[in-house]
Amino acid sequence: MDDKFSTTSQIELTRRSLLGYVGAAAGAAALAGVMPKAASAATPAVKAYGVPTSALKDWTPMEKSIGITCELSGANNDVGVFMRDIMASDIGKEMDIFTFESGTQNILGPKGFYARLDEKHPELTLWQRTSDDWKRSPLAVDPDGNQWGVPMIGNADSFGYFPAAVGVPAGSTEELSWSLVFDDEKTHGRVAYGKVYAYSMGTAALYLQSKGATFGNLADLTPAEAKTVADFLIERKKAGQFRTLYDAFEEQIQLLTNKEVDVINCWEPAVREANNTLGPNTVFYAYTKEGYNKWGIAAYISAQAIARGNGDNIYKVLNYFLGGEYHALQARDRGYGGPNLDLAVEYAEKSGWSADEVAALKATEEKVRKKFTKPYVSFTTPKNASAMEEEWQRFLNA
Amino acid sequence: MTTQTNLAEAGAGDSFLKGISRTLSRTDIAFVVILVAWIFIVVLPLVILFAFSFFTTEYYETVYKPTLDTWIGLFSSGRFEVAFRTLRLALTVTLIEFALGYPFALWLAKARMRSATRAIYLAMLTIPFFLDTSSRTIIWRAILGQAGLINTILMHTGLVAHPVEWLLYSEFSVHFGLIVALYPTMVLPAYLAISLIDDTLLEASKDLGATPRQTLTRVVLPLSLPGVLAGIVFTMGSALAAWVEPGMLGGGFVNLLSNSIESAYTALRYPVVAALSAFVILLLLVLLALMYPLMRMLGFSSLTLKS
């Protein structure tokens, strides 16, 4: 969620193109026998473009496990920038896979930018055991049932809070209400709320739904529904409920570590980072009564990638994303869940992780399972995006 | 017959070429080149921008069917307010910058000091240009926040009982951030223009009985006007396009043009981006039309387009 990314992406592309030319020249030289050692020592790579949190903090374990590395160029969470890079900049010429939140496959799949997933590919050995809850979810298929993606990670986002400020004991697993974010006297003027409509509008609608309002799809609000949500948020904004409307992940961490706010709708890793600074169990991530902003990231194959002859490596990496090692590391490092978490526990136990680490992994699995029983699933490409964005601007301008 | 026709055609061709040659010789070729380049580089994109504002977006795709819907939406949603807010903020920042920057530039250019000292001051002004804007701006959040340095001092000294909230996430903090960031863009052009004023002119003004104030308003200010105008253009242009300061210090409560455009971009709403940009350009043209006669009335004759 920081600008501007577009510039970075273009620079990155330019750099990549340059490296590509250099690589091609080096390859030619290798064929001529100038540098045969370097050529034979290269690890096969799959090039990815997508959300950085979908990447392992270090790809070395994957390299050791399947003999392939991944070169990920980070995209931000801005779906507009992401889709522009694929549609207008034709980044698929360079990239093998894309990793992004659910929704883009509905547009980029039928338009021919994503390749349809070959579910019977021999390298996709874990596909059959992956539950339909993940692989047939709106994360990976389009409304017509076409399979475009492989689910990677997911979580159910709520809000971080300081227990003393909201009046609950530290470490409580009590389900809290989103009213702490929107209209509670205890938190009045001490709330940070996300400034991106795709992230924050749905949870406001979720709260209003618990108060009796009716919505067809919380992730895809009609113009009238979006107006209802914007009117409510404008009223709360004018009442002084929000201390600030934040933009970026780094801001989430800073707002918590500076104690500028008591409550913030944020990503779970922000709470972890804040606790790294403030000390363990200072900030907590809420279980909520009404529901969560449930999201997931999937990996999609670039339409041009298969023609480049890298298909087997791509499917090996996709299969790795369904496996225990990837999910154990993602759960440990970021607190994220995903498909086949039982394999993650199995991997941790076999790999000699400590009892505490295994217990934490099981707790993550249980946490995700518990949260996913509640509504609602967010979506990056709602049909009513224009109307929602318009109403969100009304809120920001109020 | 054919030969005669060919000769006639050749003659017509010659006269045509001679005509062009005469025309070009009469015209300032540089002017023509600049005009053509300006049309292609500036005017044409603006025309396309304006045309785009009459399309709409449906499900992340531009619908190329002329309609006023985007413009109507701009006003019905109140989005047009960001244009006025941005313009107001940019003007205020520019005026404050001028009030703070011009005296400093005058002092830096004409005060008696060693050249090494002057070089140090200039370096202090230019160093911020080499630092990332985000890194410079984010520091202010730790200083201006409720638990920040200033509020801590105010609370400990007993000057306030509760943290001062408007120090951060307000129009004040955005103004402050922009003034700090854009100070060099106002000072440096003004400083260069004032430096070029010959000291003998100032001496002559004094010898002729002018007070310091008269020398400032009748000699220094008019002669440094090109630098001042450059400073105003650089400062106001940067303030109009500001994205980092309002984003980091406004806390979402100071929604400016660039933030609004960025938001529209997330839904690939290019027509909204075009309409908003076109609206700001129209506002700037109106502002220019109002300012030009006003400046001439105030006696800034160097602004005239006549030679």
Side-chain angles (χ1 to χ4, degrees), chain A residues 218-252:
Chain A
L218 293 170
D220 195 354
L221 302 172
T222 64
E225 290 170 345
K227 183 177 182 307
T228 302
V229 173
D231 285 343
F232 167 69
L233 289 172
I234 289 168
E235 186 271 314
R236 297 316 305 153
K237 183 183 176 186
K238 289 185 172 170
Q241 178 69 13
F242 306 121
R243 169 69 180 133
T244 180
L245 305 173
Y246 71 84
D247 225 358
F249 177 62
E250 291 72 22
E251 286 185 76
Q252 298 174 13

Side-chain angles (χ1 to χ4, degrees), chain A residues 14-27:
Chain A
T14 310
R15 188 183 66 83
R16 284 195 168 281
S17 302
L18 179 66
L19 289 175
Y21 297 137
V22 173

